[in-house]
Amino acid sequence: MSDGFEAEKSQASKWFRSLRAEIVAAFEGLEDSHQGKGEPRRFEVSETKRAAPDGGDAGGGLMSVMRGGRVFEKVGVNVSTVYGELGEAAQKAMAARGVPGMADDPRFWASGISLVAHMQNPHVPAVHMNTRMFWTPHAWWFGGGSDLNPCIEYDDDTAHFHATQKAHLDPHGSDHYPKLKAWADEYFFIPHRHRARGVGGIFMDDYCTGDWEADFKLTKDIGRAFLPAYVPLVEKRRDTQWTEADKETQLVHRGLYAEYNLVYDRGTKFGLATGHDANAVLMSLPPLAKWV
């Protein structure tokens, strides 16, 4: 599949893998440094494959999941690079979003990183982050962002999370943070609950200014913002005493997260519709949740 865009694809795929390695190391470090008895958990890493309709090579990635840690109840950090031809339903969905040429040439290539962390302590916020690049013969774009999902909200945690993201976006232009924040507020809203699923963050999709290098640098800084935005919150809250009522609040709040990802999330729909490993696509779901 030679298309003159191979160098850019390679750069993007390598970046997502390097970011994945950095985050996995940081999260295992949080487990190592936590007070408590017993050996800390490690990520279980497995390869994933996209199922091509003709049985041929369609790409895949790595699924890294840690369960039952002292800090993380369940956290997944996945990367993938997949390619092939989009099915009819996916072609129509892309065309509806304004992607040109789908009927003429349905080839695609996509690479990205996706992370969701569900925490043991209800005072530590859950979090989501993903960044990705998508290519077709007639278009390319970037997407992704990160958002904070506390069940027990702390204003200073929210302020730190947003301020760190703003600091990473401002070098790209002062208009980026407010625009991507508003985009996240709209995207991570749950219509049937009439509320947001968390306290927001930043988000973009179908992002293409025509300058690939500039757009890639922005995407990398969205990824670079994640650890300094989130790790200090974990370190601050992980030893906070919690009650059974706090845990109940956490489990009910996780129901919101599950509802959103199963009903509205574009990445979940795309992954399942295009034949990617279902376990990797649904990695984002919490280990336990409740509904009232």
Side-chain angles (χ1 to χ4, degrees):
M1 191 189 295
S2 178
D3 48 61
F5 224 71
E6 296 303 322
E8 290 87 346
K9 292 179 188 177
S10 178
Q11 287 183 60
S13 182
K14 288 178 180 177
W15 161 251
F16 297 133
R17 284 197 170 234
S18 68
L19 181 60
R20 172 252 170 214
E22 182 180 358
I23 292 171
V24 164
F27 281 5
E28 289 184 343
L30 287 170
E31 283 287 324
D32 287 345
S33 62
H34 185 53
Q35 298 176 4
K37 297 180 180 180
E39 291 296 321
R41 299 285 183 174
R42 288 292 181 263
F43 279 89
E44 299 175 3
V45 181
S46 58
E47 291 189 359
T48 62
K49 295 291 184 181
R50 175 178 174 263
D54 61 1
D57 181 21
L62 293 175
M63 178 170 65
S64 306
V65 181
M66 180 164 54
R67 299 177 178 88
R70 296 195 297 259
V71 177
F72 298 94
E73 187 169 354
K74 178 187 176 186
V75 53
V77 189
N78 294 352
V79 289
S80 64
T81 298
V82 296
Y83 41 82
E85 292 191 359
L86 294 170
E88 184 177 351
Q91 290 178 44
K92 290 180 179 178
M94 289 292 178
R97 286 165 55 184
V99 179
M102 281 283 94
D104 301 322
D105 192 339
R107 289 180 298 157
F108 83 100
W109 177 98
S111 185
I113 178 172
S114 179
L115 175 158
V116 177
H118 298 289
M119 313 306 290
Q120 290 283 12
N121 191 321
H123 293 274
V124 181
V127 72
H128 154 263
M129 186 277 289
N130 79 80
T131 56
R132 58 190 176 274
M133 176 187 161
F134 203 99
W135 170 94
T136 73
H138 300 282
W140 57 262
W141 62 90
F142 291 95
S146 60
D147 66 302
L148 199 66
N149 296 269
C151 67
I152 300 171
E153 295 183 16
Y154 292 93
D155 290 343
D156 52 336
D157 288 4
T158 302
H160 170 82
F161 190 77
H162 281 272
T164 305
Q165 293 177 325
K166 182 178 186 299
H168 281 75
L169 293 185
D170 279 353
H172 301 273
S174 60
D175 62 325
H176 277 78
Y177 170 74
K179 181 169 66 176
L180 269 61
K181 179 185 181 300
W183 207 333
D185 290 342
E186 179 181 357
Y187 184 73
F188 295 115
F189 187 80
I190 307 174
H192 66 270
R193 296 292 186 184
H194 309 290
R195 59 157 294 174
R197 76 175 189 184
V199 294
I202 53 176
F203 181 77
M204 65 182 187
D205 208 357
D206 301 341
Y207 188 85
C208 175
T209 66
D211 185 338
W212 188 88
E213 289 287 350
D215 294 352
F216 184 40
K217 288 179 180 177
L218 173 64
T219 302
K220 288 193 289 187
D221 278 342
I222 290 173
R224 289 188 181 110
F226 173 73
L227 286 175
Y230 185 62
V231 169
L233 308 184
V234 179
E235 293 174 330
K236 179 166 56 173
R237 305 291 178 193
R238 64 186 176 182
D239 294 320
T240 302
Q241 294 296 311
W242 52 272
T243 66
E244 288 303 315
D246 293 335
K247 198 67 176 178
E248 182 77 8
T249 298
Q250 181 191 53
L251 294 177
V252 172
H253 191 270
R254 284 178 178 176
L256 290 174
Y257 201 94
E259 289 176 15
Y260 178 87
N261 276 37
L262 291 173
V263 177
Y264 301 110
D265 186 74
R266 185 179 287 179
T268 301
K269 291 179 179 179
F270 178 83
L272 294 176
T274 56
H276 197 54
D277 187 296
N279 289 328
V281 174
L282 298 174
M283 170 274 297
S284 61
L285 296 179
L288 294 171
K290 283 188 175 182
W291 283 263
V292 295

